[in-house]
């Protein structure tokens, strides 16, 4: 959907009445008005000639003739739309000044008006004549402007989140302009220039008439600011201007910015914001623009914390908690700064790149042969074909499978850079492994009832075919990702708690809190690699009886009985670790999150899943919390 504005309008109301000071663009309306005046003049001349002929010929009209109202119906239909070639038409300056110069009671609040297929949104700002920041010896007269309104004309079919963004920009521009009016009467001086241009244009002869808005653009700095805002909204969706060379106004239209990043698909701004609230310390950021270019666009008074964060090299290999330590920032600061970068379309969220990551081709990846992306890829990596690289990820593939030991370090580095390029352009998505506790059923004789054998496959609802876990974690075919919930199912009260009358709700809550408590940042081991052993953050000093009590707190009697039948449950150490991890075996947490929360190595976790493969099944699908580009409508 096209979210570009149709027009930007500046209206003022003062002691001399309301007046439209400036509008942009204006060329289409001027041409139409000129044509309309010409047509009216010609029609009037034709009517006069016809009347003159009728008068000379003395012909009386036929009293039985029918009145042809086709022209009237056609004219009514033609004026039901006020949009022509993406521009606003059909509104005169006087009509818009009457509509947008609102009463004082409506100032400092959202203004919204819908006329036909156009929606006007603005934020009227009232000026206090007694408020001024000028020096006492300043002899400038007080302003006669009571209020002003910067209005954006939009298509009426746009979503309300887009309308709210334009209202935010109108409010930002209005507040900055009011500040400059109080500081140096910037608005009053610019309004005088605009009114003088209107008067001058109205006094020009007919053969030398020009648009007053063209004169205003040549003489008024404020008009050029408004034109810059309009053009940047229609271009990149990011507005960066310094009003009166003093106040910086920055604005991002996320629907415009992320529309291009999502390969033309509509973007839900609310979904994007919800995704930013789910960032985890083990995530990291991937810059979508060059680091030097991003640093160059920062203003001189930008946050020093942002400068330090951007100066950390190889950020795509480092999780957030390590980035915070390297940049000498708190984890909260890093998450807030990363949220700003993602919102402005300068970065995206990924899991740190490592050899165990599994990637697959994005379902929205363009596969056109002669595309601009293919040309850009060939320029970035000479001798390589984009479609050949994309074909390698038609099936889920890990980095360890691509980086063979016989390849040179230079080739491995190039392969990693190619994957980063694909991630930057949204052509790849990472698949994470989720674990489900699904114990098989037994008959009364202790044998298995059903067709599931040890090491066999089972059907996991409608989520696709899943295979039992093994050391290598095979990749099943997933047709539809299972629904993810921000709250695990075991936290919600259900009938399982009624099966244990001796366990109170407080005891269950304490057990869940103890199991789901993440390790501290100082005790974090290696989440992205198996090279380092975990720090002593995991405590396996509990007794077997404590492990059984923990299983009672989070498992039903049937589930507990099936788990205790597994041969690995006879090993106290394996049972303790399973009891600590079983709260994550509901399909809501992937392996990387388990490794972070329990401070465990990947190899240890995979070994445990393999030992309890009789009651555990795995599946792979993307992590929706970091797949921000999937938050579309």
């Amino acid at each position: 959907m096209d979210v570009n504005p149709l027009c930007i309008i500046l209206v003022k109301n003062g002691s001399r009445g309301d007046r439209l000071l400036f509008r942009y663009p204006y060329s289409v309306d001027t041409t139409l008005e000129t044509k309309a005046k010409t047509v009216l003049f010609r029609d009037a001349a034709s009517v006069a000639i016809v009347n003159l002929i009728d008068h000379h010929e003395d012909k009386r009209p036929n009293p039985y003739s029918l009145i042809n109202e086709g022209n009237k119906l056609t004219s009514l239909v033609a004026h039901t739309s006020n949009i022509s070639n993406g521009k606003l038409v059909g509104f005169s300056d006087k009509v818009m000044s009457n509509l947008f110069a609102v009463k004082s009671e409506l100032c400092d609040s959202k203004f919204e008006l819908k006329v036909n297929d156009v929606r006007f949104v603005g934020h009227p700002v009232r000026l206090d004549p007694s408020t001024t920041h000028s020096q006492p010896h300043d002899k400038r007269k007080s302003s006669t402007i009571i209020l002003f309104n910067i209005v954006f004309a939009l298509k009426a079919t746009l979503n309300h989140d887009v309308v709210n963004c334009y209202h935010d920009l109108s409010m930002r521009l209005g507040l900055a302009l009011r500040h400059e009016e109080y500081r140096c009467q910037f608005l009053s001086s610019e309004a005088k220039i605009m009114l003088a241009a209107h008067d001058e244009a109205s006094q020009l002869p007919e053969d030398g008439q020009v648009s007053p808005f063209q004169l205003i653009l040549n003489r008024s700095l404020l008009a050029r600011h408004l034109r810059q805002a309009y053009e940047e909204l229609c271009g990149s969706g990011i507005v960066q201007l310094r009003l009166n060379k003093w106040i910086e106004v920055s604005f991002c239209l996320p629907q415009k910015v992320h529309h291009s990043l999502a390969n033309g698909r509509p973007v839900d701004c609310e979904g994007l914001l919800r995704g930013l609230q789910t960032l985890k310390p083990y995530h990291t950021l991937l810059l979508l623009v060059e680091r030097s270019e991003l640093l160059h666009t920062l203003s001189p008074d930008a946050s020093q914390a942002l400068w330090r964060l951007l100066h950390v090299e190889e950020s795509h290999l480092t999780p957030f908690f390590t980035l915070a330590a390297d940049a000498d920032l708190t984890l909260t600061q890093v998450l807030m700064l990363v949220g700003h970068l993602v919102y402005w379309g300068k970065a995206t969220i990924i899991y740190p790149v490592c050899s165990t990551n599994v990637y697959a081709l994005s379902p929205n990846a363009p596969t056109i042969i002669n595309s601009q992306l293919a040309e850009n890829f060939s320029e970035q990596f000479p001798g390589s074909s984009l479609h050949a690289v994309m074909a390698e990820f038609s099936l889920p593939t890990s980095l360890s499978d691509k980086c063979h030991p016989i390849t040179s370090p230079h080739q491995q580095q190039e392969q990693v850079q190619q994957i980063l390029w694909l991630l930057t352009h949204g052509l790849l998505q990472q698949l994470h492994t989720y674990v489900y506790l699904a114990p098989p059923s037994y008959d009364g004789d202790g044998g298995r009832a059903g067709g599931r054998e040890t090491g066999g496959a089972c059907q996991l609802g409608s989520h696709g075919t899943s295979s039992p876990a093994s050391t290598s974690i095979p990749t099943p075919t997933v047709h539809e990702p299972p629904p993810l919930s921000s709250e695990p199912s075991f936290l919600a009260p259900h009938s399982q708690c009624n099966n244990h009358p001796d366990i109170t709700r407080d005891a269950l809550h304490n057990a869940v809190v103890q199991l789901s408590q993440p390790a501290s940042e100082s005790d974090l081991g290696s989440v992205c690699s198996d090279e380092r052993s975990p720090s002593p953050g995991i405590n396996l000093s509990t007794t077997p009886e404590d492990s059984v009590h923990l299983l009672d707190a989070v498992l039903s009697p049937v589930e507990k009985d099936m788990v205790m039948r597994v041969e690995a449950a006879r090993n106290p150490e394996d049972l303790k670790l399973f009891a600590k991890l079983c709260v994550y075996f509901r399909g809501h947490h992937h392996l990387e999150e388990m490794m972070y929360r329990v401070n465990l190595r990947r190899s240890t976790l995979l070994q445990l899943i393999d030992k309890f493969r009789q009651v555990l099944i795995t599946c792979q699908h993307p992590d929706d919390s970091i797949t921000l580009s999937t938050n579309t409508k």
Side-chain angles (χ1 to χ4, degrees):
M1 180 179 293
D2 187 10
V3 297
N4 294 336
L6 303 175
C7 185
I8 184 171
I9 306 160
L10 175 61
V11 175
K12 69 93 179 178
N13 189 10
S15 59
R16 298 181 181 179
D18 54 77
R19 188 70 180 270
L20 185 142
L21 297 178
F22 182 71
R23 60 187 295 188
Y24 187 86
Y26 55 86
S27 57
V28 176
D29 293 347
T30 304
T31 304
L32 291 179
E33 290 176 2
T34 304
K35 291 182 179 179
K37 292 180 180 179
T38 305
V39 170
L40 289 176
F41 176 79
R42 291 178 178 175
D43 291 344
S46 301
V47 171
I49 294 174
V50 171
N51 291 337
L52 183 60
I53 294 175
D54 291 342
H55 176 71
H56 284 287
E57 295 183 358
D58 193 21
K59 291 184 178 181
R60 291 179 294 179
N62 186 357
Y64 303 101
S65 62
L66 297 178
I67 299 176
N68 184 11
E69 297 187 359
N71 295 334
K72 294 183 178 180
L73 294 176
T74 304
S75 61
L76 291 176
V77 174
H79 289 286
T80 55
S81 178
N82 297 107
I83 301 177
S84 176
N85 297 326
K87 303 297 186 295
L88 179 67
V89 296
F91 291 94
S92 63
D93 295 352
K94 185 58 180 177
V95 170
M96 287 193 288
S97 64
N98 292 335
L99 290 175
F100 306 146
V102 298
K103 296 182 179 180
S104 301
E105 292 79 6
L106 300 179
C107 290
D108 300 322
S109 62
K110 183 181 180 180
F111 170 83
E112 187 173 345
L113 175 66
K114 181 179 178 296
V115 180
N116 294 333
D117 55 348
V118 179
R119 188 184 304 274
F120 300 96
V121 59
H123 188 86
V125 178
R126 183 176 181 178
L127 297 177
D128 187 1
S130 61
T131 303
T132 179
H133 295 174
S134 58
Q135 299 298 329
H137 62 274
D138 195 348
K139 298 181 180 180
R140 288 180 295 182
K141 296 180 180 180
S142 59
S143 175
T144 60
I145 301 177
I146 300 176
L147 62 90
F148 66 94
N149 193 3
I150 300 177
V151 182
F152 289 96
L154 310 173
K155 294 181 179 179
T157 56
L158 291 181
N159 298 328
H160 284 286
D161 56 349
V162 181
V163 177
N164 293 333
C165 290
Y166 276 103
H167 167 252
D168 180 63
L169 177 56
S170 176
M171 181 177 61
R172 289 171 182 260
L173 293 172
L175 295 179
L177 193 55
R178 181 170 64 180
H179 178 275
E180 286 302 285
E181 173 65 17
Y182 289 161
R183 186 179 70 89
C184 59
Q185 294 187 346
F186 175 68
L187 177 59
S188 298
S189 60
E190 294 296 312
K192 293 179 181 178
I193 296 175
M194 295 178 183
L195 292 175
H198 281 284
D199 296 339
E200 180 181 346
S202 62
Q203 297 175 1
L204 293 175
E206 295 182 359
D207 56 348
Q209 285 187 355
V210 295
S211 173
F213 303 117
Q214 182 61 41
L215 299 177
I216 292 174
L217 276 177
N218 298 333
R219 303 173 184 178
S220 173
L221 178 60
L222 177 58
R224 291 192 290 272
H225 286 327
L226 297 179
R227 180 183 63 178
Q228 177 185 350
Y230 174 85
E231 292 176 349
E232 290 181 349
L233 286 172
C234 295
S236 63
I238 296 179
V239 177
Q240 289 182 325
L241 59 89
R242 188 171 293 273
L243 189 66
N244 196 23
K245 302 180 181 180
W246 189 261
I247 295 183
E248 183 175 2
V249 179
S250 300
F251 172 79
C252 172
L253 186 60
Q255 294 82 2
K256 180 79 172 182
V257 175
H258 293 272
H259 179 76
S260 59
L261 296 178
N263 298 323
R265 292 176 291 124
V267 175
D268 181 11
C269 184
E270 296 180 357
L272 175 65
L273 296 178
R274 287 194 302 268
L276 294 178
Q277 296 175 357
T278 60
L279 297 182
K280 302 297 176 58
Y282 52 80
H283 291 153
T284 189
L285 79 158
L286 176 63
L287 294 179
L288 301 179
V289 296
E290 293 294 334
R291 190 185 306 271
S292 58
E293 178 184 351
L294 180 57
L295 292 173
H296 179 71
T297 57
L298 295 180
S299 60
D301 57 346
S303 172
Q304 293 299 320
L306 181 59
W307 283 89
R308 294 202 300 268
L309 178 64
L310 294 178
H311 278 87
V312 177
E313 300 293 339
E314 302 294 338
S315 58
H316 57 275
L317 303 176
T318 310
F320 286 146
F321 58 82
T322 305
L323 281 177
D326 295 342
D328 194 18
L329 301 171
T330 63
L331 182 59
T332 304
Q333 285 180 299
V334 171
L335 295 179
M336 292 179 63
L337 294 173
V338 170
H340 281 289
L341 292 175
V342 173
Y343 183 83
W344 283 71
K346 305 299 182 182
T348 187
I349 303 301
I350 62 171
Y351 185 79
V353 179
C354 60
S355 60
T356 56
N357 288 3
V358 177
Y359 297 102
L361 194 63
S362 175
N364 302 297
T367 57
I368 304 176
I369 297 178
N370 297 323
S371 63
Q372 186 63 36
L373 283 177
E375 296 180 3
N376 296 339
F377 185 84
S378 300
E379 294 177 0
Q380 185 74 19
F381 306 99
S384 300
S385 173
L386 174 62
H387 297 86
V389 176
M390 293 171 59
E392 297 177 0
F393 293 95
S394 297
L395 296 177
T397 305
S398 64
L399 291 184
S400 59
D401 296 336
K402 284 186 61 64
C403 300
H404 300 286
I406 59 176
T407 58
S408 63
H410 175 72
Q411 292 177 339
Q412 294 181 1
Q413 182 66 21
E414 185 177 3
Q415 290 177 348
V416 173
Q417 293 300 324
Q418 290 178 355
I419 293 175
L420 292 177
W421 193 92
L422 296 175
L423 290 173
T424 301
H425 293 81
L427 303 181
L428 288 184
Q429 61 180 1
Q430 183 177 358
L431 302 182
H432 296 268
T433 301
Y434 293 81
V435 184
Y436 289 83
L437 179 62
S441 58
Y442 288 84
D443 56 15
D445 299 332
R448 293 182 181 274
R452 181 182 176 189
E453 301 291 340
T454 303
C458 70
Q459 186 72 18
L460 183 60
S462 61
H463 307 319
T465 304
S466 300
S467 59
S470 62
T471 305
S472 60
I473 302 296
T475 303
T477 302
V478 181
H479 301 288
E480 179 181 358
L484 295 179
S485 173
S486 58
E487 181 180 8
S489 59
F490 59 80
L491 293 180
H494 47 74
S495 59
Q496 293 181 2
C497 300
N498 299 330
N499 298 329
H500 306 280
D502 56 332
I503 299 178
T504 62
R505 187 178 303 274
D506 294 337
L508 174 61
H509 176 73
N510 294 333
V512 170
V513 171
Q514 178 184 0
L515 292 173
S516 60
Q517 184 70 25
S520 61
E521 294 183 23
S522 59
D523 294 335
L524 288 173
S526 176
V527 181
C528 308
S529 175
D530 292 336
E531 298 299 329
R532 284 184 280 171
S533 60
S535 57
I538 180 172
N539 184 11
L540 297 178
S541 60
T542 56
T543 61
E545 291 77 10
D546 295 336
S547 302
V548 175
H549 289 315
L550 292 178
L551 292 177
D552 290 334
V554 296
L555 300 181
S556 66
V558 176
E559 292 174 335
K560 174 190 171 185
D561 181 62
M562 297 300 103
V563 170
M564 298 303 295
R565 290 174 181 266
V566 179
E567 183 178 357
R570 302 176 184 178
N571 188 339
E573 297 298 326
D574 294 337
L575 183 61
K576 295 173 190 177
L577 184 57
F578 184 88
K580 191 175 183 67
L581 290 171
C582 64
V583 294
Y584 304 112
F585 295 157
R586 300 293 184 180
H588 302 290
H589 308 273
H590 49 72
L591 298 185
E592 289 77 13
E593 186 169 0
M594 300 180 200
M595 294 162 57
Y596 168 75
R597 289 181 175 271
V598 191
N599 194 17
L600 198 65
R601 288 192 304 177
R602 184 183 298 270
S603 57
T604 304
L605 180 59
L606 295 181
Q607 290 175 5
L608 178 72
I609 295 175
D610 179 62
K611 292 178 180 179
F612 286 87
R613 63 181 178 273
Q614 294 175 322
V615 294
L616 296 178
I617 57 178
T618 62
C619 69
Q620 290 183 333
H621 60 80
D623 184 3
D624 289 344
S625 64
I626 65 173
T627 312
L628 301 178
S629 60
T630 62
N631 294 318
T632 59
K633 292 183 178 179

